[in-house]
Amino acid sequence: MKHFLNLLIILLIAVISASGQLFSHVSTPLEHLSNSSVAWGDYDNDGDLDLVLTGEPGNTIPATYIYQNNDGNFQETGAGLPGLTDGSAEWGDWDLDGDLDLLLVGRNNYNVATSIIIENDNGLFTVSGADLPGVMGGEATWGDFDNDGDLDILMAGVHEGLTFYTRIMENDGNGQFTDYGEHFPGVQNASVAWVDYNNDGKLDVMIGGDSGGGMITRLYKQEDGSFKEVNPEGFMGLSAGDIHWGDLDNDGDMDLVLAGVDLYLDGHIMLYRNDGNDQFMTLYTLTNPIAFTAVDMADYNNDGWLDIIVTGKIVGCGTTAATMLFRNETFLNFFEVSTLIPGSKQGDVTWGDFNNDGFTDLLLTGLDGFDLPQTNLYNNDGGSGIFSANTPPEAPPGLTATTSGNSVTVAWDRATDAQTPSGGLGYNLYIGTTSATHDVVTPSSNPASGIRYLASLGNTSQDTSFTINSLGDGTYYWSVQAIDNGFMGSVFAPEESFTINAVGIDDPENRKRIRLFPNPAQTHIDIRMPDAGYQLEIYNALGNPVISQPGTGFFIRIDVEGLAPGLYMVQIRNNGQVFVERFVKE
């Protein structure tokens, strides 16, 4: 009898055993941490996955460690980075220089909510000058939501003054970020995720956590730069858990695993099938399995189907921790298999092929069943020879590019793979101003070999097209690779090029680039514009001017505290265009 997360099996801690040994413990110098986050990333571009760890060692003082992987042997780099805990860590090339940088959020040694970007300059790590709002008790993640080629940030957690906070921080391309002004419900014990769940080429947003008035889980669809909630009654509100998207049935769209605790601190693990048209089917739900969970997905046995690993605390069993692996036996049928891996809680879990043998390995951090910090790496032994090693997909065929003004839509046909069905493959794109470069859109892969720098899907998810906006005139070079369910990349397809010649073309997309927030406003309004020079006028409801201001800058803040409550119109002349927006003064 097949089902997801059988309660009896959980309480007995995995009595069903797979044939052959699945994982063997690897001796490493990795620091033991709890309240921790981990992330694989090839920061030195040498072809193997390096590692960042954040959390609390036994002395409870937060720490951050970067370990260099040298042919399967790990060495701490001594980077001397700020220590954080109760947050998240994620690699991403935010400055488009070809190597991975690091986004860290969490609580520092002074219990201050902190968010920082660590710049990687050929293996030298320094704290960047990016000014980000600090969050702890939550998460932050990279994603190019505005399709301009650089990485933006979605974050949630506890902000300064212990306020609950959820924001999109837009990458301005000059080393700084601007609050996009799309203010979602604030949450603590938060999880966040970018996902293109509807395959329209634009990243959508999911948030979950404790809103102060209850546990929430909400999905927001991006439409013309704004976000609209979809399926508002369809997802269970959970906190202190994890949100993880993946194509579990290989049908070409993202399904959802949602884990956490409800208002009564009962644990839940939910699986939702994406049926398209903003509809999701609840396939599995189980009350009181484990709480305070971490989740990850990868195809550990190379049968082409994403499997699920879950760690957390077993509810009703004191401090007992659990680690559970669920094998996908095709089309969303899951079966728990024994790993003989000890339980882990209050930490993180992640898949990644650290030794490049074609099998995704497993890293866990957190507290063990005796409440001791631990970090353990397990080699995937291929079921003692039962499973075959993963092989790369074929490169995508049929590359085309269609330009319109200063935008381009690049497209390709689906690739094939010996393990992952074609419908389950993801894709990864680069665009550069010279051949084989990626200074416009970075793939976080080696352009020559296709070897991935990240253990994740590509930057276009499962989409077979991508539109990038606001390009300057000139010739651009691009290509795309396929990514399978073991995060192995194909070689890039033969490179193509396109030319942008937008002189004198009216670009409606550019006209949408002005943003005014917050709205309603109390003390100020912030305005983001596509070009630096402006002339601003604010009129009241009677048409009388109340504020007139010229200036320069892409981002301006206008003091409106002295205005009477009511409706106001903002008119801005910017680079020959006239923008009109309205706001309400409370």
Side-chain angles (χ1 to χ4, degrees), residues 219-231:
L219 176 63
Y220 295 88
K221 176 168 60 176
Q222 184 182 169
E223 295 180 338
D224 296 324
S226 61
F227 291 83
K228 175 184 177 182
E229 186 176 1
V230 297
N231 200 34

Side-chain angles (χ1 to χ4, degrees), residues 43-85:
Y43 78 82
D44 53 5
N45 297 356
D46 67 348
D48 50 29
L49 292 173
D50 309 300
L51 186 66
V52 61
L53 300 174
T54 71
E56 298 176 18
N59 58 11
T60 73
I61 297 175
T64 299
Y65 302 96
I66 293 179
Y67 290 89
Q68 186 178 40
N69 180 357
N70 295 305
D71 296 324
N73 299 303
F74 292 90
Q75 180 178 0
E76 209 276 312
T77 60
L81 300 180
L84 296 177
T85 186

